[in-house]
Amino acid sequence: MKMEKLLNLNDMEKDALKEIGNVGTGNAATALSKLLNKHIEIIIPETKFVPITKFAKEFGGAENVVVSTYLQLLGDLSGETLFIFPVKSAEKIVDLMMGQPIGTSKIIDEMSQSAFKEMSNIFTGAYLNSMADFLEIKILPSVPHITTDMVQSIMDFILAKVSNHSDDVLSIKTSINIKDIEIEGFFIMIFDIASMNKVLGLLKKMYGLS
Amino acid sequence: MGAQEIIVGIGGLVVHHNPIILTCLGLGSCVGVALYDKENHIGGLAHVMLPESKEYTGIRDDKNSIEKLNRYADVAIPTMIKDMVNIGAKKNNIRSKIVGGAQMFIQINDEFAIGKRNVITVKKILEENNIPIDAEETGGSKGRSMKFDTSNQEITVKSIHDEKII
C-alpha cells in the first residue's frame, strides 16, 4: 500500500521533501521582507511526522489563542496551508504593513484582518510559485480565510482529514521570526497522500534517485 | 478540593466513576460526547474527530483495527457504552450532552463539512442506542473547551469570548 511507503520515508526522501521547503522559503522571505521593510529570519523548514494527538503541542498547546489564515492548495497538488501567529505578533505585522506605530492595530478590526490576509497571500504566493517552478507543476492557492481562536480548534478539521488514513501528520513547518520587534509565527503545509507521493516522484526523477 | 481532572485527547475516550472532571480542549470541528449514568455514578467522554469508520483508508493493524478507531463516532459511542456497562453502568440509564462541531473558517465552501457531519452522525448513533440528549452546544464557528463534572453532570463550555454551563 502506498501509505506504508510514505510512513517509512527514508532519509533521502526526507531530505528531498525538505528541499522543496527550502526552495519556497527563500523566495517567500524576500517577498515578506520587502512588504514589511524588515529583516525576516526564517528557520530552515522542518519536515517531520508528528502524532496527530501531539500536533497542537508544536504550537503552544491546545488552548493557545492564535490568529490563523487558511489557504487550500489546488491544481496539480492538493493540500492545505496554515499561518499560525500569536495575536500580538499578528497585530505587529499589521502595524508594519500599515506603517503605524507598533501597538496600534487590533486584529479584530476588519481592516487589520484584510491586511493580515494580504500578508498571507503574498507569502504563500511567493512560496508556491518557486515550488511550482522548481517542480514544473501548477499549484493554485485558494483565497485566504482568517480566524482567531484556540490552536487545536483551528486545525482539528485538517487533522481529521489526515486521520482518515494515518495516525501521524506529515507537515512542512517553517518558523518566521522578526527578532528586533519579537514577531514569531509559523507557516505549515500539509499535503494529502496522493500529492505527497507525486512530489516525491518528481523529486526522485529530478535527482535521479528512482 | 475539586475532583481530579483527566484530559481526553483528540480521538480518545475515557470512562470513570464519580467524582471526576473529564475535559476536551479546543474542540473545533471535533465533537465532545459526554455520557452519564446518574444512578450508578459513572460518566464518560469521547473526543470524536470523524463520523464513520467506513471512511478509514489507512493501515489496519493491531493498533488500528476498526474496533480501536475511537476517533470515529460510530466506534467511540458504542465502545464508551460498553466500557461504562463494564464498570457498573446500566445501559437504560445512560443520557448525554454534546459539544463542538463548529466550522472554524465559515467562508469556505467545504464539501468535507466535517463539523456538521460529526454532529449529525453523533446524534444518529445516540438515537440508535436510545440515549437521550439533555443538552447541546454545537455548530457555529468558534472553538470550545469543555469540562464535564460527572458528579452533577454539568458541563462548562468555554470559548475565547464567553463561558456557559449546560
Side-chain angles (χ1 to χ4, degrees):
Chain A
M1 212 197 233
K2 269 182 182 171
M3 192 55 208
E4 230 154 335
K5 200 180 118 222
L6 187 57
L7 284 169
N8 293 320
L9 224 58
N10 63 37
D11 285 347
M12 203 140 25
E13 288 169 323
K14 271 192 195 153
D15 283 345
L17 280 177
K18 240 176 237 169
E19 186 56 25
I20 65 161
N22 289 337
V23 168
T25 40
N27 201 16
T30 309
L32 191 58
S33 180
K34 271 189 202 150
L35 179 75
L36 303 179
N37 199 17
K38 280 275 175 194
H39 175 70
I40 313 286
E41 190 187 331
I42 292 225
I43 294 164
I44 296 170
E46 266 185 301
T47 305
K48 61 173 179 181
F49 285 105
V50 180
I52 281 166
T53 49
K54 302 235 157 71
F55 199 60
K57 275 205 184 123
E58 304 261 307
F59 307 96
E63 288 190 305
N64 187 27
V65 177
V66 298
V67 179
S68 181
T69 337
Y70 168 72
L71 286 99
Q72 231 171 335
L73 304 184
L74 313 156
D76 291 337
L77 293 180
S78 57
E80 1 246 349
T81 68
L82 276 178
F83 279 88
I84 297 169
F85 281 81
V87 176
K88 281 225 169 71
S89 289
E91 289 174 342
K92 284 180 193 169
I93 285 178
V94 173
D95 287 333
L96 287 177
M97 284 179 75
M98 296 187 164
Q100 56 200 18
I102 298 292
T104 311
S105 75
K106 291 277 161 255
I107 202 72
I108 44 168
D109 300 342
E110 220 163 287
M111 179 85 99
S112 300
Q113 292 191 4
S114 316
F116 193 78
K117 276 200 258 184
E118 185 55 20
M119 181 282 292
S120 311
N121 242 348
I122 289 167
F123 186 97
T124 313
Y127 194 110
L128 295 178
N129 273 343
S130 42
M131 205 173 109
D133 281 351
F134 181 67
L135 295 172
E136 295 175 345
I137 52 171
K138 202 177 277 175
I139 315 171
L140 307 166
S142 73
V143 294
H145 303 288
I146 189 171
T147 193
T148 302
D149 217 311
M150 294 178 268
V151 69
Q152 174 89 70
S153 70
I154 285 171
M155 54 177 49
D156 70 355
F157 76 107
I158 297 176
L159 297 178
K161 280 188 203 182
V162 174
S163 77
N164 243 337
H165 49 68
S166 173
D167 291 343
D168 303 298
V169 54
L170 175 60
S171 71
I172 302 174
K173 177 173 116 182
T174 305
S175 303
I176 303 164
N177 292 298
I178 305 176
K179 278 246 167 87
D180 54 348
I181 49 168
E182 291 177 342
I183 288 178
E184 46 160 12
F186 300 99
F187 172 69
I188 53 174
M189 190 158 52
I190 297 168
F191 292 116
D192 64 21
I193 295 190
S195 296
M196 191 57 87
N197 280 314
K198 201 188 264 180
V199 169
L200 277 177
L202 287 168
L203 285 166
K204 279 184 180 170
K205 215 196 269 169
M206 205 170 281
Y207 291 115
L209 294 177
S210 48
Chain B
M1 282 301 284
Q4 190 201 337
E5 180 178 17
I6 300 175
I7 310 280
V8 183
I10 190 164
L13 75 81
V14 171
V15 306
H16 210 283
H17 283 100
N18 302 357
I20 190 85
I21 311 270
L22 300 175
T23 297
C24 285
L25 300 175
L27 297 163
S29 61
C30 289
V31 177
V33 183
L35 300 186
Y36 41 87
D37 173 354
K38 263 196 233 184
E39 224 167 286
N40 294 298
H41 313 289
I42 288 165
L45 181 62
H47 189 146
V48 168
M49 301 175 82
L50 289 155
E52 293 185 71
S53 54
K54 66 176 186 216
E55 288 183 46
Y56 183 69
T57 56
I59 299 168
R60 293 183 187 186
D61 51 19
D62 282 350
K63 197 173 118 239
N64 271 337
S65 59
I66 281 296
E67 58 273 16
K68 288 187 184 158
L69 290 174
N70 289 327
R71 67 189 77 154
Y72 291 96
D74 67 341
V75 177
I77 295 171
T79 304
M80 195 161 36
I81 296 168
K82 203 176 70 198
D83 290 355
M84 285 172 71
V85 169
N86 279 343
I87 61 168
K90 271 218 184 76
K91 196 183 171 205
N92 291 340
N93 293 340
I94 298 177
R95 306 180 71 85
S96 70
K97 291 182 183 178
I98 60 175
V99 174
Q103 181 170 344
M104 301 303 292
F105 296 95
I106 32 173
Q107 313 93 328
I108 304 172
N109 179 15
D110 186 9
E111 296 159 34
F112 199 59
I114 185 67
K116 207 174 282 176
R117 286 203 292 133
N118 277 339
V119 173
I120 291 169
T121 308
V122 162
K123 286 183 176 173
K124 191 188 86 183
I125 292 162
L126 289 172
E127 196 187 330
E128 283 168 6
N129 286 280
N130 298 312
I131 295 177
I133 300 173
D134 289 335
E136 66 173 294
E137 181 64 26
T138 58
S141 59
K142 285 289 153 210
R144 301 170 173 103
S145 285
M146 65 183 286
K147 278 182 196 296
F148 169 37
D149 184 343
T150 57
S151 52
N152 60 8
Q153 299 84 46
E154 277 182 1
I155 299 178
T156 308
V157 182
K158 202 176 70 177
S159 79
I160 62 168
H161 301 294
D162 55 17
E163 189 175 310
K164 60 172 100 174
I165 292 174
I166 63 167

